[in-house]
Amino acid sequence: MTAPEEYNAAAVQFDVVAGDVEANLASVREGVGAAVDAGARLCVLPEMWPTSFLNEFDEQTVAASEAAERELQRLSAEHGIVAVGSSLEVHGDELFNTARVYEGGDLRGSYRKIHLFSPNLEHKHHAAGNEPCIVDTELGRIGVLVCYDLRFPELARYYFHSGVEVLVVPGQWPEARGQHWRTLLRARAIENEVFVVGCNRTGQEPSLRNGEPMPFAGDGRVVDPTGELLATGKGDAGPVVGPIELRKVRTMRRILPVAADLRPEVYRKLLVEAYDRMVAGTREEQTKDT
């Protein structure tokens, strides 16, 4: 499959209304339509776009969320686009925050969020995934992160080693740490010589931890492999559209041959030395939380 050298990507941001699937689906229809009108062939939605985060998901909400996902799949077929956004996935007794990649109406891959955002109690309501997601699409090789994953460079680096050209990041990143979101999107693009399309929601909703309002900046963006901002959201709902030129990935990897200059034997030694401390630290924090 040969990807086009140039196409437009969009972060389709909007105010994700907690529990109101119909309102959120209406926002997606409008936003995706506007993105396609602007020439977008890749559309990235916010994290948990049909429902947002809830303390409880009843059967009606689960069914509505699943129906909304089917509508997103239909929209990807109708418009001939690649569409990605995370939502609820029920598997047995477990609930996952899962991003699905649709291409022209086909489900091409799914990704269960690996790093759950404990400061907002996500780990109390959702199970963590264990596998990355890489999809070869007509728009190039795409890797998926979801929100908090952005803080963990190990996963993005795996995608670099796997030849990913575009990272997509559905998010719900509070404005209180908005500078981190904006910096980390650029950092992941620069260090891995990839395009990054991050979609952050607008509006606000109460924290699950303490009920305090959390505003969201609506600062979705498209970043190229040099770290240049190609498109930036200003807080309004609607698509943030920027150009993807895949030749830039090849050019940067030729000019700055990071892959050739790696020192894997050194990293292996350091990881082995640090592994026990990493495990001990994780267990200590889990004990505190309980």
Side-chain angles (χ1 to χ4, degrees):
M1 182 184 299
T2 302
E5 283 297 324
E6 298 183 23
Y7 60 89
N8 284 342
V12 182
Q13 56 191 36
F14 59 93
D15 183 358
V16 183
V17 184
D20 194 339
V21 177
E22 283 303 315
N24 296 328
L25 186 53
S27 294
V28 167
R29 290 191 185 104
E30 180 179 358
V32 168
V36 170
D37 288 345
R41 297 184 61 187
L42 169 63
C43 291
V44 183
L45 309 185
E47 180 182 22
M48 292 293 287
W49 68 265
T51 62
S52 195
F53 291 94
L54 303 172
N55 280 311
E56 293 184 5
F57 292 91
D58 58 31
E59 291 183 3
Q60 182 178 356
T61 302
V62 170
S65 178
E66 292 172 345
E69 272 292 331
R70 291 192 293 273
E71 175 64 8
L72 179 61
Q73 185 171 9
R74 190 196 66 78
L75 288 171
S76 79
E78 176 184 340
H79 297 296
I81 60 172
V82 175
V84 187
S86 90
S87 65
L88 185 70
E89 179 197 358
V90 180
H91 183 76
D93 295 331
E94 294 182 310
L95 305 180
F96 293 92
N97 179 347
T98 299
R100 299 169 176 87
V101 181
Y102 300 112
E103 180 177 20
D106 295 326
L107 175 61
R108 296 296 314 284
S110 62
Y111 166 74
R112 293 170 172 171
K113 186 178 181 183
I114 291 176
H115 303 97
L116 302 180
F117 189 54
S118 58
N120 198 37
L121 304 183
E122 185 178 8
H123 64 305
K124 297 292 188 181
H125 305 287
H126 297 269
N130 297 300
E131 298 292 336
C133 177
I134 298 172
V135 182
D136 285 310
T137 75
E138 63 181 3
L139 304 180
R141 178 166 286 190
I142 293 175
V144 185
L145 306 175
V146 174
C147 204
Y148 193 41
D149 287 327
L150 199 58
R151 289 190 182 273
F152 298 85
E154 296 86 353
L155 183 53
R157 202 57 163 177
Y158 171 83
Y159 288 139
F160 167 78
H161 290 307
S162 302
V164 162
E165 298 160 296
V166 182
L167 286 177
V168 295
V169 192
Q172 285 209 34
W173 199 288
E175 172 55 24
R177 293 173 295 279
Q179 187 58 38
H180 297 184
W181 162 262
R182 295 183 282 272
T183 300
L184 288 170
L185 288 173
R186 295 187 70 191
R188 299 292 87 87
I190 293 168
E191 70 190 5
N192 297 300
E193 299 172 326
V194 294
F195 282 89
V196 177
V197 183
C199 182
N200 195 18
R201 61 166 291 184
T202 65
Q204 69 173 34
E205 69 178 49
S207 163
L208 295 184
R209 179 176 288 277
N210 54 28
E212 294 182 357
M214 293 190 303
F216 298 88
D219 50 357
R221 46 192 52 201
V222 180
V223 188
D224 84 357
T226 71
E228 181 182 354
L229 300 180
L230 305 176
T232 305
K234 304 298 183 183
D236 300 323
V240 177
V241 181
I244 304 291
E245 299 178 59
L246 293 180
R247 66 174 65 87
K248 287 186 177 181
V249 175
R250 298 191 297 272
T251 298
M252 282 304 300
R253 291 177 179 180
R254 184 178 68 252
I255 294 173
L256 293 173
V258 174
D261 295 334
L262 291 167
R263 296 289 308 282
E265 70 282 3
V266 175
Y267 313 147
R268 178 188 290 272
K269 177 176 180 292
L270 296 177
L271 183 59
V272 168
E273 290 178 358
Y275 183 79
D276 288 342
R277 294 194 297 273
M278 292 165 60
V279 172
T282 301
R283 289 175 176 166
E284 181 179 350
E285 291 302 315
Q286 289 173 343
T287 301
K288 288 180 183 178
D289 190 60
T290 56

